[in-house]
Amino acid sequence: MAIDDKRRLNEKKFHKWDNLPDGGRKYWLEATGKHGWKARYVKEVDVMEATVRFYQEIYDEKGNLTEIHEKFPVDKGHRKIEENHK
């Protein structure tokens, strides 16, 4: 698949993105849960639009980041964010 096609597909799936200084992009998609919590799915790609990192961020009802689940390149499982790192 051509780079432009990959880029259009990521833009269609995620809707929001930032351009990174190295020419890559950071895409994200947000989903709100029943109790006000929010999950943000983040995909980082290089200049060739190849995935270099994929992770999920969990925010509580106040918008505080509470948990990160790194899924790619290695699934590190869920990691709680300590109070002093918020």
Side-chain angles (χ1 to χ4, degrees):
M1 183 183 293
I3 294 170
D4 289 342
D5 293 337
K6 289 180 181 179
R7 183 160 282 184
R8 275 194 291 276
L9 186 60
N10 282 326
E11 290 172 353
K12 183 177 178 182
K13 282 184 181 176
F14 289 92
H15 301 280
K16 297 178 181 176
W17 62 87
D18 282 331
N19 293 317
L20 300 175
D22 64 359
R25 278 184 164 184
K26 178 179 176 179
Y27 296 95
W28 70 92
L29 167 68
E30 294 179 349
T32 303
K34 292 180 182 176
H35 302 288
W37 289 57
K38 183 173 61 179
R40 178 182 291 170
Y41 298 90
V42 182
K43 179 180 182 178
E44 294 179 8
V45 299
D46 63 15
V47 70
M48 300 300 290
E49 209 66 21
T51 303
V52 294
R53 189 170 176 221
F54 186 79
Y55 53 99
Q56 177 187 36
E57 298 174 336
I58 305 295
Y59 295 85
D60 66 15
E61 68 280 359
K62 295 178 183 172
N64 298 312
L65 179 62
T66 62
E67 196 172 308
I68 294 178
H69 181 181
E70 294 188 43
K71 298 173 182 252
F72 183 84
V74 176
D75 190 341
K76 295 180 180 178
H78 290 262
R79 181 173 53 88
K80 299 274 185 199
I81 305 299
E82 295 178 27
E83 191 66 34
N84 57 357
H85 288 111
K86 290 183 180 177

